Amino acid sequence: MLYGLKASSEITGGPWYNDQQELDQEFIGVLYDAIFRWLRLRDYASESQVANFVRNTGISKEELEDSHVEQLLNTMVYDDIVERIVPPEGLADDAEARNPLRATKVVYYRVKKRAPNQDKSMHIPCTVCPYVQECLPGSLISPSSCVYMERWLGF
């Protein structure tokens, strides 16, 4: 390769691969976690706002383009922790979205709001305990002396 030429990201794999052409999972994980924590502190953010956050933090030694950040955001959407929002016309609240020269709608991202986790109730040790019929407060077998309950509660 000639000096001064930069190889295409189609050949190098872009910022997601290290010098040995291996997927840089640690780098991706650090970016993923940083974006998630940053989004969690906001109601929502556009792709370019997230990209500016990543650039301003200096997390990456390599210059990340908006399309790279979009790939991470899409991964977060597929992982079901972030949702994509396209606001209806006229409801945009920032200059980026109101720019008449913009060819596409601005897409926003936010951390998914989840209902209280009801799955945990399905894992209560009492639901599978063979002694549940004998378990009574104050008796030999009781919730206060149950080792399974202690483990489940994390004591």
Side-chain angles (χ1 to χ4, degrees), residues 80-110:
D80 201 32
I81 63 166
V82 167
E83 61 186 342
R84 188 179 289 122
I85 305 165
V86 179
E89 274 310 310
L91 292 182
D93 65 348
D94 65 8
E96 177 185 13
R98 290 190 305 267
N99 182 352
L101 302 176
R102 227 183 130 77
T104 59
K105 271 191 167 184
V106 175
V107 176
Y108 293 93
Y109 297 86
R110 69 176 174 198

Side-chain angles (χ1 to χ4, degrees), residues 96-128:
E96 177 185 13
R98 290 190 305 267
N99 182 352
L101 302 176
R102 227 183 130 77
T104 59
K105 271 191 167 184
V106 175
V107 176
Y108 293 93
Y109 297 86
R110 69 176 174 198
V111 173
K112 276 195 152 184
K113 304 214 183 314
R114 301 203 183 274
N117 192 352
Q118 290 143 4
D119 293 337
K120 287 188 178 183
S121 65
M122 298 304 293
H123 301 290
I124 295 173
C126 306
T127 60
V128 293

Side-chain angles (χ1 to χ4, degrees), residues 4-95:
L5 290 181
K6 185 178 178 187
S8 168
S9 64
E10 285 82 21
I11 296 170
T12 64
W16 313 129
Y17 289 84
N18 60 25
D19 295 337
Q20 290 78 34
Q21 297 302 313
E22 297 170 343
L23 186 65
D24 196 344
Q25 294 178 357
E26 183 179 347
F27 172 62
I28 294 168
V30 167
L31 279 174
Y32 189 101
D33 291 342
I35 291 171
F36 175 73
R37 286 192 310 271
W38 186 78
L39 277 174
R40 203 172 54 198
L41 299 174
R42 285 153 184 72
D43 290 331
Y44 55 86
S46 68
E47 176 187 304
S48 64
Q49 290 170 327
V50 175
N52 287 334
F53 159 73
V54 171
R55 286 186 201 105
N56 293 336
T57 60
I59 294 172
S60 174
K61 294 177 275 178
E62 191 168 335
E63 183 67 29
L64 294 177
E65 298 173 9
D66 285 5
S67 63
H68 298 133
V69 173
E70 181 184 21
Q71 289 173 352
L72 279 171
L73 288 167
N74 285 336
T75 301
M76 296 171 98
V77 168
Y78 301 142
D79 288 345
D80 201 32
I81 63 166
V82 167
E83 61 186 342
R84 188 179 289 122
I85 305 165
V86 179
E89 274 310 310
L91 292 182
D93 65 348
D94 65 8

Side-chain angles (χ1 to χ4, degrees), residues 125-137 139-143:
C126 306
T127 60
V128 293
C129 182
Y131 303 106
V132 71
Q133 299 298 327
E134 301 162 27
C135 186
L136 298 168
S139 69
L140 182 61
I141 299 173
S142 72

